[in-house]
Amino acid sequence: MQFTTLNNGVLMPMQGFGVFQISDPQLCRKVTMHAIQAGYRLIDTASVYGNEKAVGQAICASGVPRNELFITTKAWISEMGYSQTLKAFEASLERLELDYLDLYLIHMPFGDYHGAWRALEELYLHGRIRAIGVCNFEPDRLIDLCQSARIIPAVNQVEIHPYLQQTEALQIMQSLGIQAEAWGPLAEGRNNLFSDPVITGIGQKYNKSAAQVVLRWHLQRGIIAIPKSVHPERIIENFNIEDFELTPEDMDTLSVMNATQERILDLHAPREVERLYSIKCEN
């Protein structure tokens, strides 16, 4: 497994496992255990997912030393603001049954995220979190935050997949020293990604699945990816991408797919923002 060095010197795995929409506690514990057994060491959750407790139970039962794991969670919109975020952090840590977090993210660029960032900076400076970052911050919001931050975010977790390649946003993150992390790296299967003839055609050359090709594409772009699956065989398959390498020609072929610019989540759509504000996080 490859690692990347964040802007504060912390090593972060390039391959992770996400648990978004796995709300059933028993299933979440089971698949998180499968992921850890398969070799994943980066586990990504959030207070709003409602499964932090199940993730924590899986971590405890895994038998893997805590210092070998990289655990991420996030503060939701309703948890924004200095005091609210401090409280949210303690609640997440308690649900996860952990003494510290490896990465804590502001989940959405809404609400008092400036106050929330001050809380994250304080927690980081007190050694409660190894790295701090944001999620879903497009270039304008990211630059805005960095203008007043004492500590520049280490990570920005955003939607990236072959249909939304975020080339300009990645260049801005790189200029700021911020590591990109992809949620929805397989586009949630949209546009028939898993049977796309371009992707499967490349996969046939290496005897690899479409998912493996796309995850390898992320890796070679220097992007951390956190695919999700509840199927043990796919969890293992998604992890096994270290034994082949895409050629420059393969990478160029995949770059053409960016023409659609199709989003899973449009943060500029008023109804979508209203929907996000209506969601209540785990208490």
Side-chain angles (χ1 to χ4, degrees), residues 169-238:
L170 289 171
Q171 291 171 346
I172 292 171
M173 284 184 246
Q174 186 175 21
S175 72
L176 293 168
I178 299 171
Q179 172 64 48
E181 182 177 17
W183 66 258
L186 301 174
E188 296 184 349
R190 296 186 178 205
N191 291 354
N192 297 313
L193 180 143
F194 299 117
S195 59
D196 186 285
V198 173
I199 300 173
T200 57
I202 293 173
Q204 287 172 2
K205 296 196 301 181
Y206 307 103
N207 194 28
K208 293 293 181 180
S209 70
Q212 288 173 313
V213 169
V214 172
L215 292 171
R216 181 72 204 186
W217 171 78
H218 282 289
L219 186 63
Q220 289 183 213
R221 294 182 83 207
I223 300 167
I224 297 166
I226 49 170
K228 178 203 77 177
S229 179
V230 297
H231 304 288
E233 66 278 7
R234 291 179 187 168
I235 290 172
I236 294 170
E237 176 185 290
N238 290 344

Side-chain angles (χ1 to χ4, degrees), residues 41 65-66 74 81 91 93 108 138 140 152 157 163 202 220 229 233 235 239-240 242-243 252 259 262:
R41 293 297 177 262
R66 173 67 183 90
K74 314 174 192 77
L93 210 61
M108 289 285 172
E138 296 190 16
D140 57 340
I152 298 298
Q157 185 185 116
Y163 309 117
I202 293 173
Q220 289 183 213
S229 179
E233 66 278 7
I235 290 172
F239 188 73
N240 292 330
E242 291 285 354
D243 59 348
D252 289 342
E262 182 175 326

